[in-house]
């Protein structure tokens, strides 16, 4: 009898010469394929029960609102996961419980275990904890520069050209607003916290005293060496990427390198990638930490302090379907952030230039967050790599907004005074996160008001018409599938009533 494997609701999960069983929950195709090649796989079990967070919107006090969401999520997870965790512990499996998605990570699960658990009636899905690599843009790609022959022609100025383009310098000069009182969170390859443009902006730095508790979390569990040898104790970055993005949000060395949009905002960080490679579970670790920080080595629930949550979180990464993500892995996390009043800004991804390339989570969750495309300031057009809508999730708008993203100069890890330019929607997204920090600093009554904030940023954007039409989004329409509502404009956002 030939072997047959299927992966959708109510059909055969395993079927071989001797036996078969029926699955009551969705088994991901990737997980099934992995079991064809490996005896043991790290598996994420998502449960059906979801916390009701609707009352959070009526809570005006920010700390109380985040605490309410945290309490609801953890209560739901504790209740619904108990029998699963008890059973897995009894069987000797290592697990990690997640409340933000109501999911359980099971390490080194075998096919027999998943076959048995798939018959339980309260499981939503079983997926592999897939590993995926960050997709970066070659900084020397000829399509970035057009006729520009010499990179030295890219003048490095006191205030970066891209910040002037989105009128950040005008906000500093005329409104004297630089992000004070706002905490920006980042989950990325990590952060070189000792960089002179970042160290004084780090929440763990207070008048020369250092405290990494509640301000840094390393979600990578595999052994490290080199730059991240001490990653469990202090921030590090083994890829440059995170350090660069954080510099764009808050960086300023107070010696002329004004690289950050909101240089008086503070930052906290979580490392979700090792050498540019992460997994669904490491990303979920960081989603939880930035909403409810806990001390080094602490328990994500028992030791958490939701009152120390980031106001705004930037995610310059995506989880590609091509590398195993189904696309819904972070949806409940995104919705939890929205309910808690934490603004989530994400890179639209570097999958362009075709229509419908806004296909990776979390950027494709149109309407739930702000996704950001990249503008090429050298060629004065949308960057060739910037993903276009409509999204594969709901055929809706993506990106939401655009920011410069072709040649962005920011901090890197080669030393405390090191800088370099990088291209990508990863470089565009932090600018919008920084503008949101300026807005919330200037108008604190907007803190936690996600819909109102998104509306202001969209209406105040500088509109750009697209070159090409995409399904549902004519090129001459605003918004369109290349630029969204247009280029983010910091000054107009702050003065808009």
């Amino acid at each position: 009898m030939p072997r047959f494997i299927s992966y959708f609701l109510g059909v055969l999960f395993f079927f071989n010469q001797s036996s078969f069983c029926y699955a009551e929950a969705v088994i991901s195709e990737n997980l099934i394929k992995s079991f064809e090649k490996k005896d043991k796989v790290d598996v994420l079990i998502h449960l059906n029960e979801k916390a009701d967070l609707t009352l959070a919107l009526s809570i005006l006090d920010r700390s109380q609102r985040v605490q309410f969401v945290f309490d609801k999520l953890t209560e739901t997870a504790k209740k619904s996961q108990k029998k699963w965790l008890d059973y897995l512990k009894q069987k000797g499996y290592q697990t990690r419980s997640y409340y933000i998605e109501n999911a359980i990570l099971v390490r080194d699960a075998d096919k027999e275990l998943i076959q048995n658990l798939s018959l339980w009636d309260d499981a939503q899905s079983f997926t592999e904890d897939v590993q995926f690599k960050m997709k970066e843009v070659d900084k020397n790609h000829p399509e970035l520069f057009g006729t520009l022959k010499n990179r030295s022609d890219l003048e490095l100025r006191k205030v970066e050209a891209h910040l002037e383009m989105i009128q950040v310098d005008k906000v500093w000069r005329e409104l004297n607003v630089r992000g004070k009182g706002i905490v920006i969170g980042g989950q990325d390859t990590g952060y070189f916290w000792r960089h002179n443009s970042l160290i004084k902006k780090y929440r763990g730095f207070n008048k020369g005293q250092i405290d990494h508790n509640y301000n840094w979390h390393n979600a990578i569990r595999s052994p490290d060496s080199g730059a991240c040898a001490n990653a469990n104790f202090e921030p590090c970055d083994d890829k440059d990427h995170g350090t660069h993005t954080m510099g764009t949000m808050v960086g300023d060395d107070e010696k002329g390198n004004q690289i950050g949009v909101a240089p008086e905002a503070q930052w906290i960080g979580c490392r979700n990638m090792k050498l540019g490679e992460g997994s669904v579970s490491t990303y979920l670790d960081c989603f939880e930490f930035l909403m409810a920080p806990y001390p080094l080595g602490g328990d994500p629930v028992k030791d958490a302090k939701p009152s120390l949550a980031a106001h705004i979180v930037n995610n310059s990464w995506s989880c590609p379907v091509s590398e195993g993500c189904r696309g819904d892995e972070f949806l409940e996390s995104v919705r939890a952030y929205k309910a808690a009043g934490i603004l989530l800004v994400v890179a639209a991804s570097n999958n362009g230039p075709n229509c419908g390339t806004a296909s990776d989570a979390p950027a494709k969750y149109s309407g739930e967050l702000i996704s950001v495309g990249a503008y090429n300031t050298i060629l004065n057009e949308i960057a060739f790599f910037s993903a276009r809508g409509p999204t594969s999730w709901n055929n809706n708008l993506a990106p939401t907004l655009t920011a410069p993203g072709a040649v962005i100069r920011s901090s890197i890890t080669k030393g405390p005074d090191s800088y370099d330019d990088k291209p990508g929607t990863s470089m565009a997204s932090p600018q919008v996160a920084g503008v949101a920090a300026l807005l919330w600093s200037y108008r604190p009554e907007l803190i936690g008001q996600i819909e109102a904030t998104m509306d202001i940023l969209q209406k105040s954007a500088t509109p750009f018409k697209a070159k090409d039409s995409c399904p549902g989004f004519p090129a001459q329409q605003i918004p369109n599938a290349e630029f969204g509502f247009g280029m983010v404009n910091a000054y107009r956002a702050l003065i808009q009533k």
Side-chain angles (χ1 to χ4, degrees), residues 270-332:
C270 186
R271 178 178 178 235
N272 60 15
M273 286 178 271
K274 180 178 182 178
L275 296 171
E277 183 170 326
S279 67
V280 174
S281 65
T282 60
Y283 286 67
L284 292 181
D285 260 36
C286 289
F287 269 115
E288 290 191 347
F289 175 78
L290 295 172
M291 188 180 79
Y294 45 93
L296 300 175
D299 186 279
V301 176
K302 295 177 182 177
D303 301 322
K305 289 187 177 181
S307 60
L308 295 177
H311 293 93
I312 298 163
V313 172
N314 178 72
N315 287 338
S316 286
W317 52 267
S318 61
C319 189
V321 175
S322 62
E323 295 191 31
C325 278
R326 298 195 315 168
D328 59 355
E329 285 86 350
F330 311 109
L331 182 57
E332 295 304 319

Side-chain angles (χ1 to χ4, degrees), residues 10-22:
V11 298
L12 293 176
F13 173 32
F14 294 110
F15 183 66
N16 54 37
Q17 293 182 352
S18 60
S19 65
F20 67 88
C21 69
Y22 287 87

Side-chain angles (χ1 to χ4, degrees), residues 294-422:
Y294 45 93
L296 300 175
D299 186 279
V301 176
K302 295 177 182 177
D303 301 322
K305 289 187 177 181
S307 60
L308 295 177
H311 293 93
I312 298 163
V313 172
N314 178 72
N315 287 338
S316 286
W317 52 267
S318 61
C319 189
V321 175
S322 62
E323 295 191 31
C325 278
R326 298 195 315 168
D328 59 355
E329 285 86 350
F330 311 109
L331 182 57
E332 295 304 319
S333 301
V334 169
R335 288 175 170 169
Y337 268 40
K338 193 173 183 181
I342 300 170
L343 182 66
L344 192 59
V345 183
V346 306
S349 85
N350 302 325
N351 294 331
N354 297 326
C355 294
T357 48
S359 56
D360 294 341
K364 70 177 183 177
Y365 301 148
S366 182
E368 303 284 347
L369 42 66
I370 297 175
S371 62
V372 185
Y375 185 75
N376 188 326
T377 55
I378 300 170
L379 303 182
N380 291 317
E381 62 185 23
I382 196 72
F384 72 92
F385 54 79
S386 187
R388 275 74 158 168
T391 74
S392 61
W393 184 57
N394 59 6
N395 291 316
N396 213 326
L397 179 69
T400 315
L401 295 165
T402 307
V407 183
I408 306 302
R409 178 176 176 265
S410 189
S411 44
I412 58 172
T413 62
K414 290 182 179 179
D417 292 304
S418 57
Y419 300 87
D420 201 0
D421 57 84
K422 291 179 182 290

